[in-house]
Amino acid sequence: GELREPEGLEEPDLIDEEEPSDPEKEKLREILGDKYKELTSEDTERKRDRVAMASMSAEDSDYKKKKDWLMSEATAKDIGRAFDLGPIQRELKEEEIPDLPQDANQTALELERIRAEEREILGQISDYNITAEMQREVVTLAGSHKFKHRDGRGARARFKEPFSIACGNDGALFVVETQAHCIRRIGSDGVVDTYIGNPGNIGIGEGRPRDSLLAFPYGVAVDEDDRVFVADTLNQRIIRAITNEGQVHVELYAGEVDVTNRTDGFAMEAIFSYPQGLELDAASNVYVADTSHGMLRKISTDGEVTTLVGDGFGQPRDGAMSHARLGMPRDLCLDHNSGRLYFTDYAGAEWSRVRMLDENGVVHTVAGSTRGYVDGLGSVAKFGFPYGISVDFDGYVYVADAANHVIRRISPDFEVITFAGNGEGGICDGLVNHARFYGPFGVCVDEDNTVYVADTLNNRVRAVRSISRLRFIDKELRRIRDIRREEEAEKETLRYAAKMSAVKDRGERAERRFEEEINLDMDEQDEDESGEAREAEEGDSDEEFPDVGDTSEEPLTPPHLMSR
């Protein structure tokens, strides 16, 4: 279907419509004078931009709205010549040049420096062998980092770890929100709403969507008549939602709350044990990954439940349906062209595989062995935790490898590659080789080969879609230039830190010298004072007093009596 944009465009205002007379505006025009013209001119420009935005095609509107082209006009022409894309017209916006000098000559030099850098990066990109696998990007459709349940459009919506995902027939997506015990629907307009369940309330029930309580649902599938099937895992049952004249009605489809037996039979009497994955064929027969029983089950349209593969005993093994055994099947998908039923089978570090029930009724290991992360052919490849699985019209199988934070792809000849993600847990949109996921568990692919991902631990729903050759070149140019700027900023930070460290060292050395000089002056002053004190003591001991003679014969007369 049509590619969904995370943010819808607002309805444009008509800029050529005559504005009605307003006494307050007339008074404001008289007061402000020329300033009023400037303000209204800016408003007209904004309106014109919105009209231009609305006239763009749905495929390119979000891209152009963000104004994320970073090539200069000269570089764009270079790209057109280098890659045979024809003339490309594009101006370098003033806000894209940081800290433009006021001097015209310096401005010209700065422009030339940026264009030279772009031409240098373009030279690197021209050496790439640009393949169709590289010409893809990852974008976020809905959700944010917050672990919360909230309906809304695009990034304003919130999820509590979206787990599984399925494509509808009208461009909608159905998302299993296990932790909130409900099913969400993302419309083709990007609006997210709650489809089945009462968020945060666990229970069991049928009828109206809000009254149909769920208990940790894991799987979802949609048939050609838009009937939605849900694996209500903790309630050990399969439910079905039917839409009739715009009204949704939820009913029990198969299963009974009992995990002690492995019973086939009529749908309402059959017993499942923590069913997780669901798939449908063209006739609306339902295939169930009965996880804890270690079985693949089938619910026919007349309500008969049968076991296809597995008996729940012994070690997993390949072979005929009656002989093969499974570990813990998680999710499954049907290739309608070949009749192959693919499923993920994960039972711990020693059993991490993607397997297949072929059209002849034989179970094969398609790829994987023990837990790990290796691309390659068949059993050479390794998966961390393969869970969600989907297949496109050409027979390529997509696997959500949750433990390795990537989406893997298996070709019809069983060659495994990393389709999207760089293997590092995190959140980052962009080209597939550099994008990041965090524990993605769900994946589905639509008729246009757009791959949708339930990025579970990021609380987001994301899409992997093809892009043009020019857009790939532009995004790669921007990515390389951003890396260079980050590296330069880091070097500048290190240089500044080194400079400040040197300044600090010089200050500390100067402070130490100052303290040493002060201490030296004080020591010298102490020595001088000590020397003077010693000299004074020596002088007192050697002083000679004058000889006053014998005072016994003639006593001295006091001065005040001498007049007498």
Side-chain angles (χ1 to χ4, degrees):
E2 184 182 350
L3 295 180
R4 286 178 295 278
E5 298 293 338
E7 294 291 339
L9 292 173
E10 298 180 2
E11 188 70 23
D13 295 330
L14 297 177
I15 60 175
D16 56 352
E17 183 178 354
E18 184 177 356
E19 185 176 339
S21 177
D22 188 338
E24 293 186 0
K25 286 189 177 181
E26 294 295 335
K27 184 177 181 180
L28 185 63
R29 182 182 288 108
E30 294 177 0
I31 296 173
L32 295 177
D34 294 338
K35 188 64 177 177
Y36 181 85
K37 295 181 181 180
E38 294 177 9
L39 294 174
T40 53
S41 176
E42 291 176 4
D43 186 58
T44 302
E45 289 294 331
R46 286 194 294 270
K47 291 181 179 180
R48 186 179 294 112
D49 288 344
R50 291 168 62 187
V51 172
M53 292 290 302
S55 66
M56 297 175 186
S57 65
E59 181 178 359
D60 294 330
S61 61
D62 184 64
Y63 180 51
K64 293 181 179 179
K65 183 172 70 172
K66 292 180 180 177
K67 298 180 180 179
D68 59 355
W69 281 48
L70 298 180
M71 295 181 298
S72 66
E73 182 182 8
T75 303
K77 292 179 180 178
D78 291 339
I79 290 178
R81 289 193 295 268
F83 296 94
D84 298 327
L85 296 174
I88 303 170
Q89 299 298 326
R90 193 259 181 184
E91 295 292 339
L92 185 66
K93 298 180 178 62
E94 182 176 346
E95 60 267 19
E96 294 174 354
I97 307 173
D99 301 327
L100 263 181
Q102 296 297 323
D103 183 77
N105 293 329
Q106 294 182 5
T107 301
L109 291 175
E110 183 67 14
L111 283 168
E112 184 58 33
R113 185 193 66 79
I114 293 175
R115 288 168 176 163
E117 181 186 24
E118 289 180 339
R119 286 192 290 270
E120 178 191 353
I121 298 173
L122 179 61
Q124 298 179 21
I125 300 175
S126 64
D127 295 333
Y128 290 4
N129 179 23
I130 302 176
T131 63
E133 286 74 17
M134 298 170 64
Q135 290 179 217
R136 294 188 178 90
E137 67 174 348
V138 177
V139 296
T140 297
L141 297 180
S144 72
H145 66 283
K146 294 184 179 180
F147 179 79
K148 186 178 180 180
H149 179 99
R150 188 174 77 186
D151 292 338
R153 183 189 300 273
R156 290 188 289 272
R158 300 287 184 268
F159 292 92
K160 288 185 176 181
E161 297 183 356
F163 201 83
S164 297
I165 189 168
C167 296
N169 298 314
D170 57 351
L173 295 172
F174 293 88
V175 181
V176 178
E177 193 174 15
T178 304
Q179 298 296 326
H181 316 293
C182 64
I183 307 300
R184 312 287 291 280
R185 181 183 182 275
I186 306 177
S188 57
D189 56 358
V191 176
V192 181
D193 57 28
T194 301
Y195 189 71
I196 303 175
N198 195 337
N201 294 306
I202 189 171
I204 186 169
E206 297 87 34
R208 295 183 303 177
R210 287 284 177 168
D211 297 333
S212 303
L213 300 181
L214 306 176
F216 292 99
Y218 272 74
V220 63
V222 185
D223 69 7
E224 294 182 353
D225 296 325
D226 281 331
R227 292 177 294 189
V228 179
F229 296 79
V230 178
D232 191 7
T233 303
L234 198 62
N235 284 328
Q236 321 299 338
R237 63 178 189 159
I238 310 300
I239 64 171
R240 179 176 66 178
I242 301 175
T243 302
N244 185 15
E245 296 181 354
Q247 299 297 319
V248 179
H249 178 78
V250 180
E251 61 185 15
L252 175 64
Y253 191 69
E256 182 180 346
V257 184
D258 185 352
V259 298
T260 59
N261 298 303
R262 302 174 177 84
T263 304
D264 289 337
F266 185 68
M268 303 305 176
E269 299 172 354
I271 296 174
F272 299 92
S273 181
Y274 301 102
Q276 295 189 11
L278 297 179
E279 178 60 306
L280 296 159
D281 62 17
S284 293
N285 295 307
V286 182
Y287 298 85
V288 183
D290 195 358
T291 303
S292 292
H293 279 159
M295 299 176 177
L296 295 184
R297 316 280 290 277
K298 178 182 177 180
I299 309 172
S300 64
T301 53
D302 59 2
E304 188 71 17
V305 178
T306 56
T307 298
L308 298 178
V309 183
D311 57 12
F313 299 100
Q315 294 296 317
R317 64 191 181 195
D318 292 340
M321 292 171 57
S322 59
H323 176 75
R325 288 175 177 167
L326 311 182
M328 297 183 73
R330 306 288 178 157
D331 196 13
L332 65 173
C333 65
L334 179 65
D335 186 347
H336 295 272
N337 294 326
S338 66
R340 295 174 174 179
L341 184 65
Y342 295 92
F343 59 97
T344 52
D345 195 1
Y346 178 81
E350 299 302 319
W351 192 264
S352 181
R353 306 187 179 198
V354 175
R355 306 175 76 187
M356 171 188 67
L357 175 62
D358 68 16
E359 60 276 17
N360 297 318
V362 180
V363 176
H364 306 269
T365 293
V366 172
S369 56
T370 58
R371 188 165 59 194
Y373 184 21
V374 179
D375 287 339
L377 184 65
S379 59
V380 174
K382 291 187 177 183
F383 298 87
F385 188 166
Y387 195 91
I389 189 169
S390 187
V391 61
D392 66 17
F393 184 80
D394 297 321
Y396 287 89
V397 178
Y398 301 84
V399 180
D401 191 353
N404 289 322
H405 313 294
V406 293
I407 305 300
R408 315 285 288 278
R409 192 183 73 177
I410 307 173
S411 67
D413 56 359
F414 305 156
E415 180 77 21
V416 180
I417 66 169
T418 297
F419 178 74
N422 64 2
E424 299 179 7
I427 177 65
C428 178
D429 287 341
L431 297 176
V432 288
N433 294 337
H434 309 287
R436 291 185 182 183
F437 300 92
Y438 191 26
F441 274 89
V443 64
C444 68
V445 57
D446 67 9
E447 295 178 352
D448 296 329
N449 287 345
T450 299
V451 177
Y452 300 96
V453 180
D455 195 1
T456 306
L457 299 183
N458 275 327
N459 302 308
R460 290 170 167 89
V461 174
R462 304 170 75 186
V464 185
R465 60 191 183 189
S466 299
I467 57 176
S468 67
R469 189 179 181 88
L470 173 61
R471 186 168 182 183
F472 167 81
I473 296 168
D474 179 37
K475 293 182 77 69
E476 182 67 4
L477 185 149
R478 178 162 60 93
R479 186 188 68 83
I480 295 175
R481 199 163 81 173
D482 288 345
I483 290 175
R484 289 189 176 186
R485 288 180 176 176
E486 290 176 1
E487 292 175 348
E488 185 61 32
E490 184 177 357
K491 290 179 182 178
E492 184 64 29
T493 301
L494 293 175
R495 284 194 294 266
Y496 179 77
K499 181 178 179 180
M500 295 305 296
S501 178
V503 171
K504 183 179 179 181
D505 291 341
R506 287 197 299 269
E508 291 177 350
R509 288 197 298 269
E511 186 177 354
R512 286 195 298 269
R513 286 197 301 269
F514 179 75
E515 291 178 353
E516 291 174 357
E517 292 175 358
I518 292 295
N519 293 334
L520 181 61
D521 292 343
M522 293 181 66
D523 293 341
E524 292 177 353
Q525 184 177 358
D526 291 342
E527 290 179 359
D528 293 343
E529 292 177 353
S530 299
E532 292 177 357
R534 286 195 300 270
E535 290 177 358
E537 291 177 358
E538 292 175 357
D540 291 342
S541 61
D542 296 339
E543 183 179 359
E544 295 183 358
F545 294 95
D547 186 10
V548 295
D550 188 4
T551 57
S552 58
E553 295 180 357
E554 185 177 352
L556 294 176
T557 303
H560 63 281
L561 297 177
M562 291 181 68
S563 59
R564 295 180 185 178

